[in-house]
Amino acid sequence: MPTPTPPTPVPDPTHADSDRNDAHNDPHNSPADPELEAERRHLTESRAALARMRERTAGLDSAAAGDWVSRKFLESAFHLRMKALADDPTVPLFFGRLDYDPTHPDAPDHTVGEHFYIGRRHVSDEIGDPMVVDWRAPISLPFYRASKTEPMGVRLRRRFGFQHGAMTAYEDEGLIDGSVPDDAHSAILEAEIERPRVGPMRDIVATIQPEQDVIVRADLEQSICVQGAPGTGKTAVGLHRAAYLLYSHREQLSRQGVLVVGPNASFLRYIGDVLPALGEIDAQQTTIEELVAKTLARLNARYAVRGEDTPEVATLKGDARMAEVLHRALWSRVRVPDEGLLVPRGARRWRLATYEVEEILQDLRRRGVRYGAARAMLPQRLAHGILVKMELAGDSPDDRVQDAVARSREVKRYVESAWTAVDPARLLLTLLGDREALAAAADGILTDDEQRLLLWAKPPKGPGSARWSLADAVLIDEVADLVDRTPSLGHVVADEAQDLSAMMLRAVGRRCSTGSATVLGDLAQATTPWASRSWEDALGHLGKTSAHIEQLTLGFRVPGEVIEYAARLLPVVAPGLEPPRSVRRTRGELDVRRVSSLDDELVRLVSVTRDRVGSVGLIVPDALVPRVRERLIAAGIGHAVLGDEPTDLPPGAVEFDDPLDLVPASLAKGLEFDHVVLLEPAGIVAGEADRMTGLRRLYVCLTRAVTSLSILHTADLPGELGTP
């Protein structure tokens, strides 16, 4: 073991000729360094061990199952295990190593004199000894949390540098012997954070910071809200928390389920590789629109989202008051019939008076059960009332008699008149199409003007032909839950949650009513008219008022010059938030340029930028997308357009695999690119329903760059940005 050495800067990883990640610039990382060669051998042996693990899984035979169902279950389990053990040669199996000090009081007993390699998944040798330890295992915790002030029994922490899966360097940090100065930084860690990338989002498992790790490893029972400035890694933290919880609570969450809710389909494709790269393929990923559209499809295959509301109407439909309107409208369907219940039984006729029926209905409502569950109970409750009459008359009926009465034609008809079955879509159709029905349900809740705003100018003939909007689907989802309880998952991750309306938050909250949630977002990036104004309000609508709110302000990806320029908008768009600050030593590149015509300068700038290492995002106002696309095609510049479903890509590829993405401003949220070319900031602001929302949208677009940001404009910049 060589003497631990302090880290020194690595060569610029963006340089085309950089094929080494020299963390040391010393003999320890020269090709002849025996320690480096030993670590490379361990990597080779670990890959061989992983291959053996996969071969053993492939050799398992499901024929031993006792029946067809068990056999199919085993085949599915083997298939998932094979996918989890797949090896990508471009991704290192491990990225760090911990050497414990056997004399330190904090060193666990089973780590005395041992060292552990930390990686994305567990790999063991032929006799079961670990060659690589999963980053989520308790023994791996010090890799992220140990420090000189609290070494946690770790004598030495080693990080490895890789290029295309090949180990090129290592870097040692002595935590107990004081061999590293207090102001030292990790060059390998810095290079990994700033490494250019093309393609979808990667995991950050090798670069998780202590404050991020605290969130990642929070208990399953604890719901957490992460207010994260641009570049703080909040999305990655949320995904890694999902992976950690699936590892730590495998049996429970495999049964209950984990769901990731993102803002749009492009975003889901962008983050889609993160969990599989960490060995987790059980978590489902969806959008709020897909979530509620499934409810529509479950109610009737003809129900679908195919309409759109004005911002004013959508905002009103997303208001939390709509929950009470829907509750009233639904329960108003319960009414006492004009006549009591009469049930013939043999030669006798048994009667429940209307007042007795009313008592039964009120008792069911007081129980607080769902509308559908109470309706299912009603036949038995009415039959029990008849049974009591029989007993008082001297008969001795048993449970079979009660069941027969409950199934009788008279009771079924009576239940239908007292507690009608409800189709949630038809209920909303009635509210939005019938002025009197809406007035009865919204009296004292919505004003007359608000009620008029909700009403359809021309109601559709039926729910199957209605052009339901997203906001309508969310309301139908609410009614569906009032009728029959929505099943709860074990954990839900809601990203960009600040853009969800109160009713959308209720829809997400229903999916984790008995589970926990990780809520991710940034109030400064709220870009919908119905967006949340505070996390306390949002968590209340979500049903997680006890959630812990964590604020991340240290930016690891967005360079200082870029984030400081974008932060000029914060005093206007989010005056109560702490401004983010970049911890990167590189300041990045910012170029703000006014031109007389966009077309020629756009092509020149995009061509130059596209030749640089890394991904390029061309962010433009939505209204300019067709024009810019035509200009790129005319210039012969290949690109992908976000928002267009990829149709000409190879199997498994996504639009982010193209070096240049044309990004409508409305879809930029949550994404990042090494280089960003941004057109017409004033046009981005003007493209929103109001100026505040437009400035927030601009803040989002300005903070997508990891290395360079170039701004081209012909119109005046928004005054809030000041002078370049």
Side-chain angles (χ1 to χ4, degrees):
M1 179 70 65
T3 303
T5 57
T8 55
V10 300
D12 178 4
T14 66
H15 194 279
D17 296 329
S18 176
D19 60 358
R20 297 178 63 245
N21 199 358
D22 288 32
H24 284 304
N25 286 334
D26 66 16
H28 292 304
N29 281 333
S30 66
D33 178 15
E35 187 72 14
L36 182 59
E37 287 302 314
E39 299 290 22
R40 286 170 172 163
R41 283 195 300 272
H42 186 79
L43 176 60
T44 301
E45 292 166 359
S46 298
R47 288 201 184 281
L50 180 62
R52 285 194 298 269
M53 293 169 64
R54 202 165 191 272
E55 289 172 3
R56 285 197 296 269
T57 301
L60 296 175
D61 188 2
S62 61
D67 52 53
W68 182 86
V69 174
S70 299
R71 180 170 183 170
K72 290 299 180 183
F73 178 81
L74 282 178
E75 288 176 354
S76 176
F78 294 161
H79 174 70
L80 293 177
R81 178 63 173 165
M82 288 288 288
K83 290 183 67 175
L85 292 174
D87 186 14
D88 182 351
T90 66
V91 178
L93 276 184
F94 56 82
F95 45 81
R97 181 178 125 179
L98 292 176
D99 290 13
Y100 281 89
D101 184 349
T103 64
H104 196 277
D106 292 338
D109 292 339
H110 57 282
T111 63
V112 172
E114 294 189 47
H115 57 256
F116 296 87
Y117 291 86
I118 313 301
R120 288 167 173 78
R121 57 171 59 84
H122 180 86
V123 179
S124 56
D125 61 17
E126 292 178 311
I127 61 174
D129 288 339
M131 300 188 72
V132 180
V133 178
D134 195 297
W135 67 275
R136 297 165 288 187
I139 199 68
S140 304
L141 175 64
F143 184 78
Y144 302 104
R145 304 265 191 96
S147 64
K148 289 185 65 177
T149 56
E150 191 176 350
M152 304 174 73
V154 175
R155 180 181 64 82
L156 181 141
R157 173 167 51 205
R158 174 171 289 180
R159 299 182 189 274
F160 297 101
F162 291 88
Q163 285 292 323
H164 308 295
M167 184 184 297
T168 58
Y170 68 91
E171 176 185 80
D172 289 340
E173 183 182 3
L175 299 179
I176 292 178
D177 60 12
S179 61
V180 179
D182 293 336
D183 61 350
H185 73 281
S186 169
I188 283 179
L189 182 62
E190 182 178 64
E192 174 63 21
I193 290 175
E194 299 180 9
R195 179 158 58 95
R197 61 187 65 176
V198 173
M201 182 181 183
R202 298 194 311 259
D203 66 76
I204 62 165
V205 64
T207 63
I208 295 174
Q209 300 300 294
E211 63 271 23
Q212 296 173 327
D213 191 65
V214 170
I215 299 172
V216 168
R217 296 178 191 263
D219 293 338
L220 173 61
E221 295 75 19
Q222 176 68 62
S223 290
I224 293 181
C225 174
V226 182
Q227 159 60 42
T232 56
K234 57 184 177 294
T235 295
V237 166
L239 294 174
H240 285 66
R241 187 182 186 212
Y244 172 78
L245 293 177
L246 281 165
Y247 174 87
S248 302
H249 305 274
R250 178 74 61 193
E251 183 177 350
Q252 177 182 347
L253 291 183
S254 293
R255 183 176 66 254
Q256 296 178 342
V258 173
L259 180 70
V260 178
V261 182
N264 53 63
S266 290
F267 178 84
L268 292 183
R269 290 192 289 270
Y270 179 66
I271 67 171
D273 287 346
V274 175
L275 288 173
L278 298 172
E280 297 301 341
I281 53 180
D282 289 336
Q284 301 297 309
Q285 300 184 18
T286 188
T287 63
I288 185 66
E289 183 168 351
E290 291 174 350
L291 202 64
V292 296
K294 287 182 180 179
T295 299
L296 291 184
R298 177 172 53 81
L299 295 173
N300 190 308
R302 295 179 59 201
Y303 300 170
V305 175
R306 47 179 173 259
E308 190 171 343
D309 291 315
T310 65
E312 188 179 15
V313 173
T315 300
L316 179 56
K317 289 179 178 179
D319 194 298
R321 293 175 296 164
M322 290 299 299
E324 179 58 27
V325 173
L326 297 174
H327 186 274
R328 278 189 189 179
L330 175 65
W331 287 95
S332 68
R333 301 298 182 95
V334 179
R335 57 176 65 92
V336 181
D338 295 334
E339 297 181 356
L341 172 64
L342 183 64
V343 179
R345 184 74 182 170
R348 303 286 300 272
R349 296 164 67 87
W350 305 96
R351 179 183 296 275
L352 282 180
T354 55
Y355 78 89
E356 293 174 302
V357 173
E358 184 175 10
E359 290 177 356
I360 291 174
L361 297 182
Q362 289 178 349
D363 181 62
L364 283 174
R365 293 195 62 167
R366 282 194 296 266
R367 294 187 64 174
V369 296
R370 292 299 196 269
Y371 183 95
R375 185 177 187 274
M377 297 177 188
L378 183 56
Q380 287 291 338
R381 294 297 301 273
L382 294 173
H384 178 73
I386 297 294
L387 217 67
V388 171
K389 300 284 186 179
M390 293 178 179
E391 291 172 344
L392 292 175
D395 288 355
S396 300
D398 57 18
D399 291 344
R400 289 174 296 177
V401 174
Q402 179 172 324
D403 289 340
V405 171
R407 293 194 301 270
S408 68
R409 182 170 50 192
E410 292 76 15
V411 169
K412 288 181 178 179
R413 288 176 176 173
Y414 200 81
V415 167
E416 190 57 42
S417 64
W419 204 300
T420 59
V422 172
D423 178 341
R426 288 188 179 276
L427 177 73
L428 186 62
L429 181 71
T430 300
L431 280 181
L432 301 183
D434 187 324
R435 185 183 302 276
E436 293 183 1
L438 179 59
D443 182 42
I445 301 175
L446 302 179
T447 67
D448 292 343
D449 288 342
E450 288 174 328
Q451 292 177 37
R452 281 193 291 271
L453 191 62
L454 286 177
L455 287 168
W456 275 326
K458 184 179 179 181
K461 294 181 179 180
S465 61
R467 293 183 60 81
W468 297 115
S469 67
L470 171 58
D472 292 331
V474 172
L475 296 179
I476 293 171
D477 190 78
E478 177 85 17
V479 180
D481 181 70
L482 293 173
V483 175
D484 294 301
R485 183 184 295 276
T486 303
S488 175
L489 300 163
H491 191 76
V492 170
V493 178
D495 205 353
E496 303 296 350
Q498 78 282 346
D499 278 343
L500 300 178
S501 69
M503 297 303 293
M504 291 174 180
L505 287 165
R506 289 173 63 89
V508 174
R510 287 192 282 277
R511 270 72 182 182
C512 56
S513 57
T514 60
S516 57
T518 300
V519 183
L520 311 168
D522 180 9
L523 296 177
Q525 298 184 56
T527 53
T528 56
W530 49 82
S532 299
R533 297 296 175 254
S534 78
W535 287 120
E536 289 77 11
D537 289 346
L539 292 171
H541 299 312
L542 195 70
K544 303 297 180 185
T545 54
S546 61
H548 172 68
I549 300 177
E550 188 75 33
Q551 187 169 2
L552 297 179
T553 59
L554 298 181
F556 300 99
R557 292 288 289 170
V558 184
E561 190 169 2
V562 172
I563 196 66
E564 289 165 11
Y565 183 72
R568 296 179 182 184
L569 299 175
L570 282 181
V572 177
V573 302
L577 291 183
E578 181 181 344
R581 57 189 180 90
S582 176
V583 297
R584 292 174 53 177
R585 295 189 305 155
T586 54
R587 293 283 296 163
E589 305 167 26
L590 174 65
D591 178 27
V592 182
R593 198 181 318 165
R594 185 165 192 164
V595 294
S596 57
S597 174
L598 281 179
D599 290 347
D600 293 338
E601 183 59 25
L602 166 65
V603 169
R604 188 200 67 79
L605 181 57
V606 168
S607 299
V608 171
T609 307
R610 197 172 185 267
D611 289 338
R612 301 184 66 177
V613 176
S615 57
V616 180
L618 174 56
I619 303 178
V620 305
D622 288 32
L624 286 182
V625 170
R627 171 186 166 188
V628 172
R629 185 177 191 178
E630 290 178 2
R631 193 70 185 90
L632 293 176
I633 293 174
I637 300 176
H639 63 281
V641 182
L642 267 63
D644 289 355
E645 193 72 26
T647 58
D648 56 350
L649 296 175
V654 296
E655 58 265 49
F656 301 100
D657 291 321
D658 196 290
L660 173 64
D661 286 309
L662 175 56
V663 185
S666 61
L667 296 181
K669 188 172 296 180
L671 311 179
E672 67 174 30
F673 303 91
D674 290 288
H675 310 284
V676 167
V677 177
L678 188 147
L679 303 188
E680 296 293 13
I684 292 175
V685 175
E688 299 298 328
D690 58 83
R691 185 168 182 81
M692 180 63 74
T693 303
L695 289 173
R696 288 180 176 144
R697 179 75 70 189
L698 178 58
Y699 178 74
V700 170
C701 296
L702 290 173
T703 54
R704 301 304 96 198
V706 174
T707 301
S708 71
L709 171 63
S710 299
I711 300 174
L712 289 180
H713 64 104
T714 58
D716 291 342
L717 292 174
E720 291 82 356
L721 281 176
T723 57

